[in-house]
Amino acid sequence: MKKLVLATAALALSAGLASADTVRMGTEGAYPPWNFINDKGEVDGFERALGDELCKRAELTCEWVTNEWDSIIPNLVSGNYDVIIAGMSITDEREQVIDFTQNYTPPDPSAYLALSADLDVEGAVIAAQTNTIQAAFVAEHGWTLVEFATPEETIAAVRNGEADAVLADKSYLAPVAEAEADLVLLEREEAIGGGVGMGVRESDGELKAKFDAAIQSMKDDGSLNALISKWEVSSTF
Amino acid sequence: MSCWQTVQDYALRSIGIGERLLPRDDFTLCQQFTLIGSGMIWNVYFGLLALLAGFFLATALALGKASPNRALRKPAEWFIFVFRGSPLFIQFFFAYFLFLSLKGVSSIFDPFTSAWLGALAVLFLNTAAYSGEIFFGALLSIPRGDLEAADAYGFSGWKKFRKITWPTMLRLAWPAYTNEAIFLFHATTLVYFSGFPAWRQKGDALYYASYFADKTFNPFIPYPILAMYFILVTLTIVGVFGLVNRHLNRHLPAERRMRMRVRPTLLR
Amino acid sequence: MFNFCTDPDTLPQLQWFACYLTTGKHMGFYASFGTVLLLLAITAPTALLFGFGGASAARARLLPLRWFGKAYIALVRGVPDIAFFLFFVIALDQAFEWMRHQVKCPDWDQPVRQGNDFVVCAAAKMPLGTSPQWVHETYGFFLAVLTFAIVFGAFAANVLYGAMRAVPYAQIETAEAYGMSHRQTFWRILVPQMWVFALPGLSNLWMVLIKATPLLFLLGVEDIVYWARELGGTANPRFTDYPHGDWRMWYFLALLVFYLGFTRISELALDRIMRRLSHGQATAAGEAQRRTAGGPP
């Protein structure tokens, strides 16, 4: 029941819906630009904007809840919130346990962030967040993997020389490289993971259908692409 | 794959021997038991070494805190207060930060940023502070008669300490010290959880338990397995410390022997 | 917060900090200190209650009850608290919902476990799907308190069990000689006398409880460690008006000071209670007090 509840986006839509159950949207709140906590202490970011728009189109009342990454799926299947919207890539492993809506960003490569641009990653020490697809990727290739509990620590590790590079989603690393002059993105990128989708319980087919339709309508009228470009989270459809 | 094969592949995985890749799918109970058990190697390593090394520093700290000399007493008091007054979680965080910055000063500190040495150092200092306080309490409650008897026999200085003060202190402190040992082993689960990074997926029992919890999305199997292993460790500690306790009390008439009561006087 | 905070980029250092430290995010951080203190204030008596129940069960005359009490104490104390925290909250939540499900929806025909999903009828949801946000938060907080109380209740049970045995046996024999029943002896003789013996162990447990609170974030409570990490991490200018580098060290330093201060205050307060409790008691500490006061030896 990781309910680090930070923001209540009670999207009061219409009085008619007031009696309906609210849909609780679970996110991590520590992964800009996808989702993060802004200065006011509210959930913000690409997925906040996207989620609010989707709820409006699906005529649902939504509420935002943050939950630690490690237990985000067990808490969904246990019913503590109804949707995961946390930059979660659609993978086979996860598909076995939960259902995903159609992806709302196209599959995008993961990137390396390092101190020098001419690093050879295969012989280097690569930092990644524990239990991410990137960590699994490095381990599978037999390179030296060093795992940290939070993404923040992985970048700190490169800064202080504990690791040579971080492997993470490009959209997460790009703003960091932009802000800090001595950190650069490598040219080499890895195609890991599918697109990002919303996770729902397997028994919740109705909710999945509603969000699928809403995502489709945003894809069709181009508003999804506009949102993606605005937050620079990935390539567009 | 048979269970025996799994044991061969993964029983020493936590120290880098055996199969390089962790299981990716079709997780079996056997795999979970083997890998989490493999991780226990690190828990036992941290617990055992910190306890052994901490024992000596704890004795010094207890003597320091009981010393009439201000220059000895104050540092010992502060050391004990800081380590007992702050959560281990935060101690790990600061230690890692400190070791990283020391690394720039001298290459002697290089290995300290790895868990095997850095985390061990923190656990060592931490358990020394807790045990030091226990020993200090015991030192104060040594019956005056015992010390007077030592004087009467002409014992003094080092000999008196080694033959009378120290054994009596240990005897009185032993039940509480047993608790401290149990909690020290429990505290070793924090090493990779919050403090130090795991290299090449070599971690402790909790690291592998959370690996399985993450991969199977089911926390109800790996964590109870972890709990089972720790209950075994706790029982072993209680058994071994009970034997030592018997040895420490062997000279006393039966009814005066300190009954081994494991009380939660200290943990973190 | 302040009027001059509209454009942080242009502010001199002092005002910048004034604005930075009063953002909504920081207010959440400050409030979380209150959350931790509130949790401690509720957990301590609850854990004591659990401990009392456990200790009473461990010395009950009924064999199964005695086994239950002893198993509770031994099991919980043998396992690192962190292992409990990682799955207990979900387990407790599911247990509550399952029980409510059995009561409220007896004619529900679908299985509760559908594959990986845990599905109960809408009326059995805790809290109800229609509940406002604060109910969800309160319920999460309540589960955290309960988890802490179960874990620390076992430790308290162990202390109280020892304290009950420390009450001189003659007292109990005397009570029996007066014809008191087992129940009367327990409530009128044993329980009132055990507290002096229990207090050192319980005060230690209190210190331990304080130092276990950094694990609260595992239980889903937005605690001080959660906020310290969140606020201390590098703040990128794209996502905040107050960009800064990796300041985690300073935030953790604040936590360190908080914990050391809180420990010190607790130490002083518990010393005072112990002195008062020992006053006039026939224990070593009581004896020592009499001596220093210059009373008869």
Side-chain angles (χ1 to χ4, degrees):
Chain A
M1 175 87 22
K2 321 271 163 149
K3 284 197 193 125
L4 307 170
V5 183
L6 295 154
T8 45
L11 293 179
L13 285 171
S14 63
L17 275 171
S19 62
D21 279 5
T22 45
V23 173
R24 292 165 60 78
M25 316 272 275
T27 192
E28 190 197 6
Y31 203 61
W34 297 81
N35 54 74
F36 58 94
I37 311 294
N38 65 15
D39 288 335
K40 293 198 194 81
E42 295 160 347
V43 176
D44 202 343
F46 166 68
E47 281 169 328
R48 172 68 196 264
L50 174 74
D52 286 352
E53 177 64 23
L54 290 175
C55 288
K56 202 160 93 192
R57 293 189 183 211
E59 303 193 333
L60 298 165
T61 318
C62 295
E63 220 169 45
W64 288 86
V65 173
T66 58
N67 189 97
E68 222 191 319
W69 178 253
D70 274 350
S71 62
I72 207 162
I73 289 180
N75 275 291
L76 174 76
V77 298
S78 187
N80 292 332
Y81 35 80
D82 307 299
V83 181
I84 295 173
I85 172 163
M88 185 178 271
S89 303
I90 303 171
T91 64
D92 291 344
E93 283 177 355
R94 292 174 181 146
E95 288 264 32
Q96 287 170 15
V97 182
I98 56 173
D99 274 353
F100 282 99
T101 61
Q102 59 167 302
N103 54 334
Y104 51 76
T105 63
D108 249 11
S110 297
Y112 296 93
L113 183 73
L115 285 169
S116 86
D118 50 349
L119 179 82
D120 172 25
V121 292
E122 308 209 1
V125 176
I126 310 289
Q129 190 182 1
T130 316
N131 293 335
T132 53
I133 49 175
Q134 285 86 8
F137 177 85
V138 178
E140 254 165 56
H141 282 71
W143 306 337
T144 308
L145 167 67
V146 51
E147 288 167 289
F148 292 86
T150 59
E152 170 75 30
E153 285 166 287
T154 58
I155 291 171
V158 174
R159 231 181 265 134
N160 60 39
E162 275 291 274
D164 300 321
V166 187
L167 179 59
D169 286 344
K170 193 176 176 183
S171 55
Y172 174 74
L173 295 178
V176 179
E178 209 174 283
E180 293 181 51
D182 45 351
L183 294 174
V184 286
L185 287 175
L186 299 189
E187 263 178 39
R188 177 171 177 156
E189 293 181 344
E190 310 290 349
I192 10 180
V196 169
M198 297 164 91
V200 292
R201 280 183 294 275
E202 285 174 330
S203 54
D204 236 355
E206 202 185 322
L207 190 64
K208 175 173 161 346
K210 277 186 190 165
F211 277 118
D212 263 337
I215 293 171
Q216 193 56 50
S217 85
M218 283 187 75
K219 275 184 181 168
D220 292 345
D221 67 10
S223 54
L224 183 56
N225 277 343
L227 213 51
I228 290 174
S229 329
K230 180 187 165 208
W231 287 97
E232 298 175 22
V233 289
S234 71
S235 52
T236 50
F237 284 99
Chain B
M1 194 162 65
S2 75
C3 190
W4 175 236
Q5 185 60 43
T6 306
V7 172
Q8 283 181 325
D9 286 347
Y10 289 119
L12 296 175
R13 176 62 180 78
S14 67
I15 48 173
I17 301 172
E19 192 65 30
R20 186 174 56 76
L21 284 180
L22 297 183
R24 305 276 303 136
D25 37 30
D26 301 326
F27 302 98
T28 62
L29 266 182
C30 179
Q31 285 170 342
Q32 305 206 16
F33 268 103
T34 312
L35 262 174
I36 295 172
S38 165
M40 287 302 290
I41 296 173
W42 282 111
N43 295 96
V44 172
Y45 161 85
F46 286 126
L48 210 60
L49 289 189
L51 195 68
L52 287 176
F55 179 82
F56 295 99
L57 182 57
T59 310
L61 282 170
L63 289 175
K65 194 171 173 178
S67 158
N69 184 346
R70 207 183 137 83
L72 289 176
R73 195 176 67 239
K74 281 289 155 194
E77 274 176 356
W78 271 98
F79 181 91
I80 291 178
F81 174 66
V82 167
F83 275 92
R84 288 182 76 230
S86 59
L88 183 61
F89 188 92
I90 290 176
Q91 291 169 20
F92 272 132
F93 176 85
F94 276 106
Y96 189 63
F97 244 83
L98 182 74
F99 292 145
L100 277 180
S101 36
L102 284 178
K103 222 174 151 171
V105 178
S106 158
S107 61
I108 302 170
F109 293 103
D110 279 359
F112 276 95
T113 50
S114 322
W116 70 268
L117 190 58
L120 184 63
V122 177
L123 287 167
F124 156 68
L125 296 175
N126 186 282
T127 189
Y130 276 83
S131 316
E133 181 69 19
I134 296 173
F135 290 167
F136 170 71
L139 216 51
L140 291 193
S141 47
I142 294 178
R144 222 170 63 194
D146 288 21
L147 298 175
E148 280 165 0
D151 291 337
Y153 274 95
F155 284 21
S156 64
W158 171 243
K159 197 172 177 195
K160 176 177 160 190
F161 173 75
R162 202 174 61 85
K163 294 275 187 193
I164 309 292
T165 317
W166 194 64
T168 316
M169 175 192 89
L170 275 191
R171 182 170 63 81
L172 295 173
W174 207 253
Y177 189 57
T178 310
N179 269 310
E180 164 54 21
I182 295 175
F183 297 127
L184 173 65
F185 275 84
H186 289 183
T188 57
T189 49
L190 275 177
V191 171
Y192 291 101
F193 188 76
S194 68
F196 288 75
W199 286 79
R200 295 176 185 270
Q201 298 185 309
K202 291 183 281 191
D204 75 330
L206 185 67
Y207 171 84
Y208 291 113
S210 72
Y211 175 85
F212 283 113
D214 178 69
K215 291 287 180 260
T216 61
F217 307 105
N218 180 359
F220 296 115
I221 297 173
Y223 293 126
I225 292 177
L226 174 79
M228 188 216 67
Y229 275 117
F230 268 97
I231 288 176
L232 286 182
V233 169
T234 306
L235 288 177
T236 315
I237 297 171
V238 170
V240 172
F241 275 69
L243 286 178
V244 177
N245 190 51
R246 246 192 20 220
H247 180 78
L248 287 172
N249 285 287
R250 69 197 180 284
H251 61 288
L252 292 178
E255 68 272 17
R256 271 194 54 209
R257 286 193 188 165
M258 291 271 294
R259 280 257 286 299
M260 190 68 185
R261 260 194 321 216
V262 183
R263 285 229 211 126
T265 42
L266 294 146
L267 81 170
R268 48 189 73 74
Chain C
M1 184 84 178
F2 302 110
N3 297 329
F4 52 80
C5 290
T6 42
D7 191 7
D9 291 339
T10 59
L11 288 175
Q13 203 168 24
L14 202 65
Q15 271 104 326
W16 189 90
F17 270 104
C19 296
Y20 172 68
L21 291 173
T22 50
T23 54
K25 221 170 164 178
H26 273 86
M27 291 304 166
F29 179 50
Y30 305 139
S32 67
F33 283 91
T35 311
V36 169
L37 293 179
L38 183 68
L39 178 119
L40 282 171
I42 302 177
T43 307
T46 320
L48 202 59
L49 211 65
F50 272 73
F52 189 73
S56 316
R59 61 189 307 288
R61 278 175 301 174
L62 199 68
L63 193 62
L65 197 59
R66 199 156 68 224
W67 280 347
F68 170 77
K70 290 195 166 162
Y72 166 58
I73 296 176
L75 215 80
V76 176
R77 291 186 56 242
V79 176
D81 45 6
I82 195 171
F84 275 108
F85 293 163
L86 283 170
F87 73 96
F88 231 57
V89 178
I90 297 182
L92 280 176
D93 179 43
Q94 292 193 354
F96 285 139
E97 290 191 346
W98 186 82
M99 280 189 288
R100 276 166 63 96
H101 180 81
Q102 298 299 319
V103 175
K104 298 216 166 187
C105 313
D107 4 286
W108 184 261
D109 53 353
Q110 290 164 12
V112 172
R113 291 223 162 266
Q114 300 177 14
N116 300 297
D117 296 0
F118 178 84
V119 185
V120 291
C121 63
K125 277 247 145 277
M126 281 285 271
L128 294 172
T130 49
S131 318
Q133 189 57 40
W134 68 268
V135 178
H136 284 274
E137 284 180 58
T138 312
Y139 178 66
F141 183 79
F142 158 77
L143 282 181
V145 167
L146 192 62
T147 310
F148 258 73
I150 289 174
V151 171
F152 284 91
F155 291 98
N158 200 41
V159 172
L160 293 180
Y161 182 70
M164 285 176 185
R165 291 208 309 190
V167 173
Y169 197 66
Q171 296 278 343
I172 293 163
E173 279 175 336
T174 314
E176 277 165 0
Y178 274 95
M180 284 191 181
S181 70
H182 190 79
R183 178 184 292 258
Q184 280 174 326
T185 315
F186 182 74
W187 284 108
R188 296 192 190 171
I189 307 296
L190 197 62
V191 173
Q193 292 196 40
M194 72 181 186
W195 297 109
V196 191
F197 299 101
L199 197 73
L202 290 181
S203 42
N204 230 316
L205 202 54
W206 166 251
M207 301 289 189
V208 169
L209 188 64
I210 295 174
K211 273 165 273 158
T213 49
L215 296 180
L216 258 179
F217 76 98
L218 290 180
L219 301 175
V221 176
E222 51 172 36
D223 74 332
I224 48 183
V225 173
Y226 168 83
W227 281 113
R229 274 184 174 173
E230 177 66 38
L231 289 162
T234 312
N236 194 291
R238 255 183 66 192
F239 310 117
T240 172
D241 293 335
Y242 303 93
H244 59 73
D246 189 350
W247 284 1
R248 283 177 301 160
M249 182 140 93
W250 303 111
Y251 282 91
F252 275 86
L253 201 63
L255 296 194
L256 186 74
V257 170
F258 168 74
Y259 277 109
L260 287 178
F262 198 29
T263 306
R264 190 76 196 120
I265 291 168
S266 301
E267 265 177 11
L268 293 176
L270 288 165
D271 271 359
R272 183 162 287 187
I273 295 174
M274 191 62 200
R275 264 213 302 281
R276 183 164 291 181
L277 263 187
S278 302
H279 190 76
Q281 289 277 351
T283 57
E287 186 67 27
Q289 271 183 9
R290 231 186 330 272
R291 290 219 178 142
T292 47

